[in-house]
Amino acid sequence: MEAIDKLGKHPEPKRAGEEPVVRFENAVKKIGRKTIIEGLTLNVPAGQVFGFLGPNGSGKTTTIRMMTGLMAPTAGDIKICGRSITREFEAAISQVGAIVENPEMYAYLSGYRNLLQYARMRSDVTKQRVDEVVRFMGLQNRIHDKVSTYSLGMRQRLGVAQAILHKPKLLILDEPTNGLDPQGIRELRDYLRTLAQNDGTTVFVSSHLLSEMELMCDSVAIIQAGKLIDVRDLHAETDTETAIETEFDVARIEEAIGLLGGGEIRGGRLVIRTNREGIAETNMRLVQAGIPVYGIRPLTRSLEDQFLEMTGGGQIV
Amino acid sequence: MFDFFRLVHNENIKIYSRVRTWVMFGIVLLTSLLMPTLFYYIGSGLSMWSAMNALQQFWFLPTVFAIAIAGDSVAGEFSRGTIKLLLIRPWSRIKILLSKYVAVVLFLLAVYAVFILPALPLSALIFGTSSASDMSDSLLGGLASSMADEFWLSLLLRMISGLMYATIAFLFSAVFRSNSLALSLTMVMMFVGGLITLIISPAKYVIGRYVLFANLNLTQYVYAPSGEYGVMSLGFSLSVLAVYYVVFLVIAFWVFRKRDVAA
């Protein structure tokens, strides 16, 4: 009976039935007469790397400011681990580590002394923990240098370091790949994965870079102009049943169509709509008939295409 | 409570690990050491305490530096963007702001200490500690019975004025979140104050007695218990300042607690 009640309350599937780490409850933000966020309702499941995707100016940073208590929602509420960020700020924020926009630090202090600033603000962060985080982020060689001498990539790492000092349940990163070189982006991706997998940290990352999100995240929520458009699981089991369009690069296309009894020619290639098994079977038949096959490619749409389609592509800002 | 002092410690680090803070201390220290020396060469018949009283004419130096630190306290975090990382800790905004204010008051005490303490033994050394000329005519009928009294009393009163100016700068810093605006507004108040008291003279208008600026110059009571205008008293001015002080702090804390952070 209890299990059924639970299911009734949370209709959407969740990992191990855990309480979501973040719950947006119809959060609204108006600044002046302008509505920045329109009634955002969203659950962020525990233990995931959760992407928050939207074009520039769609309200990503405003949402993060509300999640971290920097801005108060005009209406609605945001709960972190069940605690309201507006009414129980200290309890809610103690579970959060974050970088909001750029990782701004005290440039006249060393990286280490910056970290100590934040360590002193909590009773549960020891010096050993600070050293551990410095090593985890690979900062040990430069940690005693002044932050003013750091590159953007190192500041970003120091930013992540201050955010994970207290082993937060929720790590919020606002556009973390901004200004990073490809290697930096790859490293960021790696340690976010490590945090999510080893420490069970839920990571909430905002970005406008879709390809980046695809590589990094388990799920993404897509917002546009302050409205939630879609939430999707990026690691859904590969669907073997549904027919998808598949492109075959073959010699003698006309003959192949005759043999298969179907298909169309697109850009000099043969396109057939079939499922996973059908692709293998088609290939076999072509080869057996002596028609050379040079390549097979599923014509799936990337998240980027879907994203552009959903957000209407060329929007007027 | 121990944890709260760690916040104050953080704020102290932010103040004292900057070069400019030590430039300020350096200037104040030089003034403290050079002035008694200069008085020795140009003055005649000066005693230790009259030299110290002359040094106090430079009171604006530690005060202005305290204003600079107070004005930067909150606004600096906004202009650097570090306010965001500061406010996402399990501390209420009230406690964060209070720790900043405590650090500003500590700095005021420190800079006044650097202003006064080196000059005291130096003056004693140069001018001697004899009390033969320790009384002056200007003190007759005032609150001080000797030049030493005059010195300590004016120092205390100047530090109270300094605290008021630093608190005003802190208020502007928290409300406008702009370093330059906080600084320049407080400086304007320092200079325009006298002008406003001239226009709304406390001697002519009762309301003039309640204007902040008429009460900021507390040393007027050292020489005349009823003040420059003969219509007020030290107790009166201190009470008026206390009311302004509370109002300034309430506004600063209220605004800082309420407003969205969009830096």
Side-chain angles (χ1 to χ4, degrees):
Chain A
M1 201 51 212
E2 234 184 291
I4 294 168
D5 274 357
K6 255 189 179 166
L7 276 176
K9 266 183 207 160
H10 310 295
E12 70 270 61
K14 262 190 302 324
R15 275 188 194 178
E18 273 180 87
E19 168 78 8
V21 169
V22 190
R23 240 172 210 288
F24 292 92
E25 295 172 352
N26 199 24
V28 176
K29 182 67 193 178
K30 289 182 188 168
I31 296 177
R33 258 178 292 168
K34 198 173 179 312
T35 305
I36 314 286
I37 300 293
E38 289 181 36
L40 180 62
T41 299
L42 174 68
N43 287 344
V44 177
Q48 283 203 355
V49 179
F50 191 91
F52 195 56
L53 199 55
N56 289 330
S58 55
K60 297 188 297 287
T61 298
T62 303
T63 305
I64 285 177
R65 285 179 198 281
M66 288 199 287
M67 289 170 83
T68 48
L70 293 173
M71 279 183 171
T74 314
D77 201 357
I78 298 167
K79 292 201 173 118
I80 292 172
C81 300
R83 308 293 194 108
S84 158
I85 195 74
T86 49
R87 279 171 288 114
E88 306 161 90
F89 172 75
E90 287 169 59
I93 203 74
S94 62
Q95 310 291 344
V96 177
I99 305 179
V100 184
E101 284 176 309
N102 307 313
E104 284 122 346
M105 297 283 169
Y106 302 103
Y108 50 88
L109 296 178
S110 70
Y112 193 70
R113 292 182 79 196
N114 266 284
L115 292 182
L116 286 185
Q117 283 273 324
Y118 302 114
R120 271 186 219 103
M121 296 183 83
R122 308 199 50 121
S123 50
D124 52 357
V125 179
T126 59
K127 284 223 165 128
Q128 286 93 309
R129 173 63 185 163
V130 176
D131 294 336
E132 191 184 308
V133 170
V134 167
R135 277 194 305 276
F136 176 70
M137 296 307 298
L139 282 164
Q140 57 270 49
N141 290 337
R142 296 285 311 280
I143 196 67
H144 292 291
D145 295 350
K146 280 193 180 178
V147 171
S148 52
T149 66
Y150 283 17
S151 67
L152 186 58
M154 292 183 62
R155 282 173 204 229
Q156 190 68 257
R157 286 197 217 182
L158 190 62
V160 177
Q162 64 77 27
I164 61 173
L165 271 183
H166 51 286
K167 300 186 180 162
K169 291 212 174 76
L170 173 67
L171 176 62
I172 301 172
L173 303 175
D174 193 2
E175 309 259 356
T177 54
N178 262 6
L180 290 188
D181 56 19
Q183 199 201 336
I185 292 174
R186 200 201 167 97
E187 281 170 5
L188 178 81
R189 207 158 62 213
D190 289 346
Y191 49 67
L192 291 189
R193 278 261 146 253
T194 311
L195 283 172
Q197 276 161 13
N198 299 0
D199 302 353
T201 311
T202 304
V203 186
F204 186 93
V205 218
S206 81
S207 181
H208 61 272
L209 296 172
L210 309 136
S211 45
E212 212 30 73
M213 293 276 100
E214 269 181 314
L215 290 169
M216 214 185 272
C217 300
D218 300 307
S219 318
V220 284
I222 300 172
I223 76 162
Q224 190 205 10
K227 270 187 266 186
L228 184 69
I229 297 181
D230 192 21
V231 182
R232 61 176 61 199
D233 191 340
L234 295 182
H235 293 326
E237 291 290 306
T238 317
D239 186 356
T240 56
E241 292 305 311
T242 315
I244 51 164
E245 291 193 325
T246 310
E247 184 186 83
F248 286 80
D249 185 2
V250 294
R252 310 202 298 274
I253 296 183
E254 302 297 338
E255 194 189 327
I257 290 176
L259 176 80
L260 298 171
E264 56 179 302
I265 303 167
R266 228 184 273 166
R269 306 266 161 85
L270 172 65
V271 176
I272 296 168
R273 197 171 174 81
T274 181
N275 63 18
R276 200 171 148 84
E277 278 304 312
I279 295 169
E281 201 182 310
T282 307
N283 183 40
M284 209 146 49
R285 286 171 66 190
L286 289 169
V287 174
Q288 278 168 1
I291 302 172
V293 178
Y294 305 114
I296 304 172
R297 192 167 67 96
L299 293 179
T300 48
R301 293 177 309 159
S302 71
L303 184 61
E304 182 152 9
D305 296 330
Q306 295 169 29
F307 174 73
L308 287 176
E309 190 181 287
M310 268 185 280
T311 58
Q315 56 161 335
I316 298 155
V317 182
Chain B
M1 210 50 207
F2 169 70
D3 279 350
F4 178 74
F5 285 116
R6 298 214 286 195
L7 288 194
V8 178
H9 182 48
N10 270 352
E11 294 307 322
N12 282 338
I13 289 173
K14 289 178 209 167
I15 294 174
Y16 299 105
S17 43
R18 305 200 67 173
V19 176
R20 62 173 186 200
T21 306
W22 294 98
V23 171
M24 291 178 194
F25 276 134
I27 293 171
V28 173
L29 179 69
L30 267 180
T31 312
S32 183
L33 294 176
L34 281 182
M35 283 307 147
T37 320
L38 199 66
F39 297 150
Y40 177 74
Y41 284 110
I42 61 167
S44 59
L46 277 173
S47 74
M48 167 191 174
W49 291 112
S50 58
M52 287 306 290
N53 280 318
L55 174 68
Q56 260 202 54
Q57 298 307 312
F58 290 87
W59 71 283
F60 59 86
L61 216 53
T63 305
V64 165
F65 290 155
I67 288 172
I69 294 294
D72 184 59
S73 180
V74 180
E77 302 269 4
F78 275 93
S79 59
R80 278 190 301 266
T82 44
I83 189 76
K84 290 174 289 187
L85 290 186
L86 188 64
L87 292 184
I88 56 166
R89 311 289 146 181
W91 287 94
S92 69
R93 289 194 188 181
I94 298 291
K95 286 176 193 152
I96 300 258
L97 193 65
L98 188 63
S99 71
K100 285 191 165 293
Y101 185 67
V102 170
V104 165
V105 173
L106 290 176
F107 178 81
L108 178 80
L109 295 176
V111 77
Y112 262 94
V114 173
F115 179 54
I116 294 305
L117 293 183
L120 268 179
L122 184 68
S123 298
L125 199 74
I126 296 175
F127 302 105
T129 48
S130 85
S131 55
S133 55
D134 204 18
M135 193 55 207
S136 110
D137 292 345
S138 69
L139 292 178
L140 289 171
L143 291 176
S145 54
S146 70
M147 279 191 179
D149 267 11
E150 178 192 5
F151 170 76
W152 291 113
L153 186 61
S154 343
L155 178 65
L156 178 71
L157 296 177
R158 284 201 161 114
M159 284 176 76
I160 292 173
S161 307
L163 180 69
M164 287 304 295
Y165 282 118
T167 306
I168 291 166
F170 189 78
L171 164 75
F172 287 149
S173 184
V175 170
F176 298 117
R177 301 169 174 193
S178 153
N179 195 336
S180 48
L181 194 59
L183 260 174
S184 48
L185 275 180
T186 314
M187 298 304 237
V188 165
M189 287 181 84
M190 273 184 103
F191 293 118
V192 168
L195 206 64
I196 290 176
T197 2
L198 210 66
I199 299 166
I200 320 169
S201 167
K204 274 193 230 157
Y205 311 99
V206 175
I207 193 157
R209 297 172 199 173
Y210 297 94
V211 171
L212 175 68
F213 307 108
N215 298 284
L216 271 174
N217 175 20
L218 291 170
T219 47
Q220 55 179 309
Y221 300 111
V222 175
Y223 310 100
S226 57
E228 258 177 86
Y229 308 95
V231 289
M232 286 138 75
S233 71
L234 180 58
F236 173 84
S237 281
L238 286 177
S239 313
V240 171
L241 289 184
V243 172
Y244 275 108
Y245 180 78
V246 170
V247 169
F248 290 158
L249 282 185
V250 167
I251 295 174
F253 278 82
W254 190 74
V255 170
F256 187 72
R257 195 174 76 87
K258 278 281 165 201
R259 265 173 64 187
D260 282 347
V261 174

